[in-house]
Amino acid sequence: MDGLAAARVVPIDAIHVPEVPWSDVDETGWTIQSDAIDLGAAQVTISEGGVDRPVKTTALMGGFGSASAIAMTPQGWTSEAGKTYTVAVNGVPQPFSYDVQIVACP
């Protein structure tokens, strides 16, 4: 996963959808899915401004899109527009990280 230097921009309205309360990504979990990487032993940290944010990592059943998948559910915090979160994945053959920039849309 080389070349992931640029932050992935995500609208806050895609994370928090008041009209569809059961679809709040901060409650259901951010996900990583892969057909090439076994994520079963992955250890994930999410940080913002250099501060680790607590997350619960859960292995998901494969075969519903990708062979391997995990969910990372925020514990005691929610995504906020104007913040950039760094997701770091270890416990896989080639550890990787990427940034997620949350933006407000007019």
Side-chain angles (χ1 to χ4, degrees):
M1 296 209 159
D2 293 331
L4 292 177
R8 301 326 188 231
V9 178
V10 177
I12 192 73
D13 292 338
I15 295 174
H16 305 291
V17 185
E19 298 83 17
V20 189
W22 63 86
S23 69
D24 190 306
V25 174
D26 283 342
E27 292 181 21
T28 60
W30 304 18
T31 63
I32 299 174
Q33 301 181 32
S34 178
D35 285 328
I37 303 169
D38 180 358
L39 297 165
Q43 300 142 12
V44 179
T45 58
I46 298 178
S47 60
E48 186 273 318
V51 176
D52 284 353
R53 301 293 182 157
V55 294
K56 176 183 174 188
T57 304
T58 306
L60 303 174
M61 289 186 0
F64 293 98
S66 295
S68 184
I70 56 173
M72 301 89 58
T73 308
Q75 301 293 292
W77 60 278
T78 58
S79 304
E80 295 179 50
K83 303 225 175 182
T84 298
Y85 300 92
T86 299
V87 179
V89 181
N90 292 294
V92 295
Q94 293 182 317
F96 60 94
S97 67
Y98 58 93
D99 290 338
V100 177
Q101 180 184 8
I102 310 296
V103 297
C105 295

